[in-house]
Amino acid sequence: MAREVLSIGQVRIHSSRTSKEDAMREAADILEAAGAVTSAYFDAMQQREQTVSTYMGNELAIPHGTNDTKSAILDSALSVVRYDGGVDWDGEPVTFVIGIAGKGDEHLEILSQIAILFSDEDEVERLKSAQSPEELFQMLSAVNES
């Protein structure tokens, strides 16, 4: 069993709105603080975003690096930030910004779990109603069981 990709310290809730760039920076900073990525990862996220939007639908964006910036990834981890004021993601409304760092191909499994969760609108509403980072973490902790 790999170490947990999501810990309570990597889950945050903000009542305010923020810019896409600031949301991406926070996602990268959380991953860096968790020891999963180097400081180069934010630039990798920006590179990815320039080629393809990481907006996934259902108020979710999943910023992550490009394949040629794998050297910036030290370990697999997630960061989850809910912005109750929203983020304008190139014209799309985003509430959840989930940063992903995947060592090897591990991110694909994590991505699929998140995609399944967020494809269910009732689940998204449940995640939006979580009162605390702890409650949100409990709802998302299944990602650690892969």
Side-chain angles (χ1 to χ4, degrees):
M1 159 97 189
R3 70 176 190 85
E4 297 195 334
V5 293
L6 184 65
S7 70
I8 184 61
Q10 290 150 240
V11 179
R12 298 180 186 169
I13 296 176
H14 296 303
S15 57
S16 57
R17 64 180 290 117
T18 193
S19 70
K20 174 180 158 184
E21 183 169 351
D22 285 347
M24 284 170 52
R25 183 170 295 282
E26 183 165 19
D29 286 350
I30 293 169
L31 293 172
E32 189 178 347
V37 300
T38 68
S39 56
Y41 200 63
F42 174 65
D43 291 334
M45 280 181 169
Q46 288 190 304
Q47 281 174 34
R48 160 80 61 183
E49 208 62 45
Q50 281 159 11
T51 41
V52 59
S53 174
T54 55
Y55 173 72
M56 300 290 163
N58 273 354
E59 301 180 52
L60 171 67
I62 306 181
H64 55 285
T66 56
N67 286 340
D68 49 339
T69 52
K70 286 271 187 210
S71 59
I73 298 174
L74 308 172
D75 211 340
S76 296
L78 285 179
S79 63
V80 177
V81 186
R82 190 180 85 197
Y83 295 97
D84 291 345
V87 182
D88 178 346
W89 208 273
D90 299 329
E92 299 290 353
V94 164
T95 303
F96 292 91
V97 177
I98 299 184
I100 291 188
K103 195 79 179 147
D105 290 327
E106 287 179 15
H107 68 290
L108 298 174
E109 176 61 35
I110 300 166
L111 266 172
S112 70
Q113 284 188 308
I114 290 167
I116 291 164
L117 186 64
F118 277 85
S119 66
D120 182 335
E121 287 181 17
D122 292 338
E123 279 296 324
V124 175
E125 285 307 312
R126 216 169 62 86
L127 295 168
K128 285 172 76 171
S129 69
Q131 297 297 303
S132 65
E134 290 76 16
E135 193 180 335
L136 187 55
F137 170 72
Q138 288 302 326
M139 293 178 183
L140 294 167
S141 59
V143 297
N144 288 322
E145 291 154 23
S146 63

